[in-house]
Amino acid sequence: MSFWEYANPLKFLKLSGTLIPYFSILATITIIAGLSWGFFFTPDDYKQGATVKILYVHVPSAFVAINAWFMMLVASIIWLVRRHHVSALAAKAAAPIGIAMTIIGLVTGALWGQPMWGTWWEWDPKLTSFLILFLFYLGYIVLWAAVEDPDTAADLTSVLCIVGSVFAVLSRYATVFWNQGLHQDASLSIDKEEHVADVFYYPLIVVMAGFVLLFIALVLLNTRSEIMKRRAGAIMARSRV
Amino acid sequence: MIALIFRDLRIAVRAGGGFGLSLAFFFIIVIFFPFAIGPDLHLLSKVAPGTLWVGALLACLLSLERIFALDFEDGTLDLMVTSPLPLEGVVISKAIVHWLTTGLPLVFLTPFLGVLLGLQNSNVIFLIISLIFGTPALSIIGTFGAALTAGMKRGGLLLSILVLPLYIPTLIFGAEAARRGIQGFETQTSILLLSGVTLLSWAILPFAAASVLRINLR
Amino acid sequence: MIALIFRDLRIAVRAGGGFGLSLAFFFIIVIFFPFAIGPDLHLLSKVAPGTLWVGALLACLLSLERIFALDFEDGTLDLMVTSPLPLEGVVISKAIVHWLTTGLPLVFLTPFLGVLLGLQNSNVIFLIISLIFGTPALSIIGTFGAALTAGMKRGGLLLSILVLPLYIPTLIFGAEAARRGIQGFETQTSILLLSGVTLLSWAILPFAAASVLRINLR
Amino acid sequence: MAISIESLSVSRGGVNLLQGVDIELENGQAGILRGPNGVGKTTLLRALAGLQPVESGTIKCSLEDICYSGHADGVKPTLTVQENLEFWANIFGSPSIREVAEKFMIIELLNTKVGNLSAGQKRRVGLARLGLTGRQVWLLDEPTVSLDETSVKIFGNIIKDHLSEDGCALIATHIDLGLENSAQIIDLLEFQSNSGDLSSSNEAFL
Amino acid sequence: MAISIESLSVSRGGVNLLQGVDIELENGQAGILRGPNGVGKTTLLRALAGLQPVESGTIKCSLEDICYSGHADGVKPTLTVQENLEFWANIFGSPSIREVAEKFMIIELLNTKVGNLSAGQKRRVGLARLGLTGRQVWLLDEPTVSLDETSVKIFGNIIKDHLSEDGCALIATHIDLGLENSAQIIDLLEFQSNSGDLSSSNEAFL
Ligand code: HEM
Ligand SMILES: Nc1ncnc2c1ncn2[C@@H]1O[C@H](COP(=O)(O)OP(=O)(O)OP(=O)(O)O)[C@@H](O)[C@H]1O
Ligand SMILES: Nc1ncnc2c1ncn2[C@@H]1O[C@H](COP(=O)(O)OP(=O)(O)OP(=O)(O)O)[C@@H](O)[C@H]1O
Ligand SMILES: [Mg+2]
Ligand SMILES: [Mg+2]
């Protein structure tokens, strides 16, 4: 039995139906556990005070936002190469979640920036490329909404996603070149101690795992509803003839 | 007229209708300025009111082309002229729909963009006020421009060139009002002048636009 | 391909073809900034390179819609696809014509606008160089965007929203090159990076645009 | 409601196309405009509908009674057939769409978006507007383009119904509508002006 | 040059329109597609021209031999007739425009801007492109829309000439072209798929 069997919409509906409850429960548990650990059982930072706790929402949402785009890229390529409808719809389903996470990341970042840097916003490379990511999500979603025929829309958005990825990477380098900023460097790199202390680090890992689970659950859910919509459309088309 | 307004609103929110797009365009074009000017927040906040006003103006401009051109191409305009609806009513309905779908939403986005450009929260209010009083003028002037170019295929660029000069008074008074407010001067005069421009435009341009439309249909 | 280029150039210079309009738009939009920002020449000269770059970008943007939409509407594109001309060739011809009628003329106008914004004569050269290296990228990226929205009626606004994010690297490197040059820093790196973006775009986008066009015609 | 035209002269693009056109239609009568491509059928109909100025001559018919239908259908591709018809019904203040939709055989298409219709189906929607206006004088410019044979016949019958209710119709068409026996055939070639005649606005420069 | 289609199936907007279409045209033969509005004539022709994917079935005919002409004319309103034809002649590498222009009766219009032509004149310019391609298999979608009677006859003769030169043509039309005696009449109603058949992309969801 090959993995591609689940590219059949009906099989996918069945499988996702059983998986979603598990993922949602797991996600809820991990997020609640991670957040309470982070909120109530870690000390306030000596410098940042209690505001450091925004970290537990900010970093996971930013992480998911970036990786959601990757997922969409992979799904788009699969659609273009193998023409599995589920793949195209999964890409479509991930976009609103991705953009929501981007907005959460931006808002929590801004809320954090106010006490930390004394400003809501700074044109720092990381922030800027994050904002640019928001624009790419926006274009992608708008294109889906504007094209009526679902297969055409899937094709067009897939090409846009691939081309967009190239230009998103270029933009990232461009912003670095444009302004060397004051944002935190990656906290999950090898020399992590330098940035985020262990006490904050472990609960953060838990919350991030929770966000990833949540993302998977939401994508499955959204893909399901997209499939149902296509189904309803197909049934309508049949009855209309 | 009500029927026309509802139909146009309905078309606007349908797929491909373009609702929300001018909002997105406003957002994007405003955050393009930092890329062009450089990341210095202090400098940015100085040019912020002007940037936001130019952005709003461009967002209005880009959505003008749809106003009449589609109706012209598919023959609706011919039929509308021969219908009981007065052409002035058509123009006013179109301008109202344009403002509802473009001008008004822009106002709500302004606070967020203000933050990105380093404006103080308390100062954003001046921008909002100036936009509320100014954008209706942008809509009716733009409708007049759209009527002028209704007969042309893809006349978007020509339309821009015709309309932009007409936008100058609105832009000057509007941006001035916002800038004065932010710098702590009194803003009443500029707001008054701005409203004057708006009222004048709504008083005379519907007739001008209707006559121009009639000419374009021959 | 040569036939196509000549035909399109001929259409562009005919009445209603839009040649010169993007130039006029560039001119108008750049002189709008003083109205919006205020008459302070010192401030203006600081934001001049950015303003000129944004102006050039907008002028390119507004002329994109014509690239495929007209050919789509009157059926030419259908016929072109079934003709011996490869679709990639069509895309490249279109991008070349767009650059010749829009990007290149902008460069010639820049010195005059630089003066209006208080730029020193000796500094204008940096703007010109950055525009020469950058505008071809704007044309081919824009052609890709036009191909994406070819099937839509009045897709101008949607087109802008899809294309603008893709313009970011070009804008950043281009404006940066101009700014650095004017401030007396070395500009080689930014120019190199800018050319890199241009070359990359011309290398990959014709294929992407052709495939997207084929999809849109179904 | 009748229409009467006397020694009308119309121009297009600076050239005088038709001269001395006399047409007299009574209640319940149809006129069929014939003539080769480019003779000026479209131009004449647009002039009668008030969409274009006439050079000289008189038209006796109130604009309020005229309903024009041209090459383009005036329907919005993103709206459904029903929404399109409702809009025009609203504008003209006429009540029932269903009846008209039945007459024009688009009842099953009511909930389809116009953009998804075939050429002929779209044309039928465009023509259905005629039934909604409640106006008496129909000016039709090649109404049957793209229609299949049955639709053409049905449309012919619709026109006959309209005539029997004391309406009248002036139709430019190249094909047979089944009205030819009772209708007045007007060959526009008779009224073609001598080549070289210019419109009055061009004359002024000679 | 012949075209042969075997058990072709085409869809539009997620609905399967035609199924099991078998058409066999030999050199010098014309096929006339008949069928009511919306049956799928346009869809079939576009699929044959390679503008739209087919669901299943085989088409035996090289795309290089096919010349498609659709509802739209593919002429630029701001260019003159001559410039328009020159462009297509260039693309297809064919030499003489005059001959073709004479055949299609647009020789006096050569220096007129296409935007200033009447509906029928414009159509003739669009059709003239057929003569320039030098291709053998003509796929024509309602070619005679807006043409007057003489033009229709002349166009019928042009098609006959083309056939006698071993070309072939598949024509969707609602009106008589004068070819009906010799041509193969294909009624698409026979191939209409059962209502409720969906395209493969929609089937996947049921
Ligand atoms: C609006 C403002 C902000 C935005 C848009 C933003 C955006 C981002 C992004 C995109 C990431 C990368 C996540 C990843 O690569 O996995 C991130 C991570 C992070 N941000 Fe922010 N941020 C903002 C403000 C702040 C502030 C004020 C702080 C606190 C000083 C902060 C601290 C961090 C930390 C510690 C990380 C984790 C580093 C990592 O995992 O890569 N951020 N933020
Ligand atoms: N874009 C579309 N999306 C969905 N359905 C469509 C679309 N275009 C056409 N259709 C449907 O497909 C069917 C076939 O259309 P097609 O244009 O092929 O018909 P046709 O035989 O050419 O008719 P006509 O004689 O009216 O031109 C019609 O029923 C139409 O409603
Ligand atoms: N915009 C224009 N400018 C100049 N001349 C025009 C214009 N439009 C049409 N003409 C010319 O006016 C003449 C009459 O055109 P009209 O459209 O009235 O013809 P028609 O009788 O409707 O023909 P058809 O049967 O082809 O529709 C034509 O010879 C045409 O070349
Ligand atoms: Mg006509
Ligand atoms: Mg058809």
Side-chain angles (χ1 to χ4, degrees), chain A residues 5-97:
Chain A
E5 260 176 50
Y6 293 106
N8 177 307
L10 293 186
K11 285 229 170 87
F12 178 86
L13 276 186
K14 236 180 174 171
L15 178 73
S16 61
T18 50
L19 286 183
I20 286 175
Y22 293 107
F23 274 105
S24 349
I25 291 169
L26 264 178
T28 323
I29 294 176
T30 0
I31 289 177
I32 290 178
L35 282 184
S36 22
W37 183 1
F39 279 179
F40 305 120
F41 302 102
T42 55
D44 285 356
D45 190 76
Y46 68 96
K47 194 168 76 193
Q48 310 182 14
T51 50
V52 70
K53 286 167 183 171
I54 297 178
L55 177 91
Y56 298 113
V57 182
H58 174 73
V59 179
S61 55
F63 177 81
V64 169
I66 291 168
N67 287 289
W69 183 271
F70 275 118
M71 188 226 114
M72 281 157 54
L73 176 62
V74 173
S76 298
I77 292 173
I78 292 175
W79 159 251
L80 285 182
V81 176
R82 302 200 53 138
R83 308 212 68 81
H84 293 312
H85 290 90
V86 172
S87 178
L89 292 182
K92 182 184 184 186
I97 304 166

Side-chain angles (χ1 to χ4, degrees), chain C:
Chain C
M1 247 174 88
I2 305 291
L4 182 55
I5 293 180
F6 274 111
R7 187 201 67 156
D8 281 351
L9 282 176
R10 194 178 271 159
I11 292 177
V13 297
R14 281 289 151 85
F19 179 74
L21 287 185
S22 39
L23 217 56
F25 179 80
F26 179 52
F27 186 77
I28 297 182
I29 201 69
V30 169
I31 63 175
F32 257 53
F33 277 90
F35 292 131
I37 291 172
D40 173 6
L41 251 196
H42 179 65
L43 184 60
L44 278 176
S45 74
K46 260 200 190 153
V47 299
T51 308
L52 282 164
W53 254 94
V54 170
L57 202 142
L58 285 169
C60 273
L61 197 67
L62 267 130
S63 45
L64 289 180
E65 206 192 342
R66 312 183 71 93
I67 295 185
F68 288 118
L70 286 177
D71 277 353
F72 183 88
E73 272 167 25
D74 62 18
T76 309
L77 217 49
D78 278 351
L79 305 179
M80 218 107 87
V81 173
T82 55
S83 82
L85 205 61
L87 209 48
E88 286 77 11
V90 173
V91 170
I92 292 177
S93 315
K94 292 276 179 185
I96 290 176
V97 171
H98 182 260
W99 187 69
L100 288 178
T101 54
T102 310
L104 189 60
L106 294 187
V107 175
F108 294 111
L109 202 60
T110 312
F112 304 98
L113 289 174
V115 172
L116 289 183
L117 294 183
L119 271 189
Q120 234 101 78
N121 292 355
S122 53
N123 284 335
V124 170
I125 185 74
F126 296 108
L127 260 166
I128 291 181
I129 291 176
S130 70
L131 282 173
I132 286 184
F133 281 96
T135 44
L138 299 184
S139 288
I140 186 74
I141 296 172
T143 307
F144 168 69
L148 265 181
T149 55
M152 286 153 220
K153 289 229 157 205
R154 309 277 146 182
L157 209 46
L158 178 65
L159 172 58
S160 313
I161 288 168
L162 297 178
V163 164
L164 281 176
L166 304 179
Y167 275 176
I168 291 175
T170 319
L171 174 65
I172 289 184
F173 290 133
E176 178 80 8
R179 237 176 331 124
R180 288 179 151 250
I182 289 171
Q183 290 168 0
F185 297 121
E186 62 92 35
T187 56
Q188 224 172 356
T189 339
S190 4
I191 293 285
L192 264 178
L193 288 168
L194 182 63
S195 326
V197 172
T198 304
L199 288 178
L200 184 74
S201 310
W202 278 87
I204 58 172
L205 289 179
F207 300 100
S211 73
V212 154
L213 265 186
R214 266 190 213 100
I215 296 166
N216 259 328
L217 283 178
R218 312 205 271 257

Side-chain angles (χ1 to χ4, degrees), chain D residues 12-13 17 37-43 142 174, chain E residues 116 118-121:
Chain D
R12 189 81 225 254
L17 291 175
N37 291 141
V39 76
K41 298 181 291 300
T42 302
T43 311
E142 303 195 40
H174 295 298
Chain E
N116 291 349
S118 80
Q121 293 166 333

Side-chain angles (χ1 to χ4, degrees), chain D residues 118-120 146, chain E residues 37-38 40-43 71 141-142 172 174:
Chain D
S118 80
S146 305
Chain E
N37 291 141
K41 299 179 293 298
T42 302
T43 311
H71 286 299
D141 196 0
E142 304 196 39
H174 295 299

Side-chain angles (χ1 to χ4, degrees), chain D residues 109 112 115-121 146 148, chain E residues 12-14 17 35-44 71 141-142 174 188:
Chain D
L109 301 175
T112 317
N116 292 348
L117 297 180
S118 80
Q121 292 167 332
S146 305
D148 58 23
Chain E
R12 190 82 224 255
L17 291 175
N37 291 141
V39 77
K41 299 179 293 298
T42 302
T43 311
L44 178 64
H71 286 299
D141 196 0
E142 304 196 39
H174 295 299
L188 286 183

Side-chain angles (χ1 to χ4, degrees), chain A residues 110-172:
Chain A
L111 290 177
W112 201 355
Q114 180 61 13
M116 279 302 299
W117 307 327
T119 162
W120 298 105
W121 181 261
E122 193 60 52
W123 289 97
D124 137 294
K126 200 157 189 173
L127 274 60
T128 309
S129 43
F130 204 52
L131 189 63
I132 293 174
L133 180 67
F134 176 76
L135 300 186
F136 279 103
Y137 271 122
L138 201 66
Y140 182 86
I141 291 172
V142 164
L143 187 58
W144 261 111
V147 185
E148 204 191 322
D149 180 64
D151 282 358
T152 308
D155 283 331
L156 295 180
T157 50
S158 299
V159 176
L160 180 68
C161 184
I162 294 169
V163 171
S165 301
V166 175
F167 280 85
V169 171
L170 283 179
S171 310
R172 170 90 187 106

Side-chain angles (χ1 to χ4, degrees), chain D residues 56-131:
Chain D
S56 64
T58 52
I59 307 172
K60 276 201 206 99
C61 181
S62 148
L63 278 181
E64 247 107 82
D65 293 317
I66 284 182
C67 171
Y68 166 82
S69 158
H71 287 299
D73 290 315
V75 290
K76 293 285 155 194
T78 53
L79 297 182
T80 65
V81 173
Q82 169 133 27
E83 287 165 336
N84 266 298
L85 295 181
E86 260 167 13
F87 169 67
W88 287 113
N90 251 320
I91 294 277
F92 286 96
S94 71
S96 157
I97 297 176
R98 286 201 82 77
E99 211 176 290
V100 173
E102 238 157 57
K103 228 162 135 188
F104 286 81
M105 300 197 316
I106 44 175
I107 203 90
E108 328 83 82
L109 301 175
L110 276 184
N111 292 317
T112 317
K113 275 213 266 176
V114 168
N116 292 348
L117 297 180
S118 80
Q121 292 167 332
K122 185 159 160 259
R123 185 103 268 232
R124 276 189 249 153
V125 177
L127 291 175
R129 196 182 49 89
L130 293 173

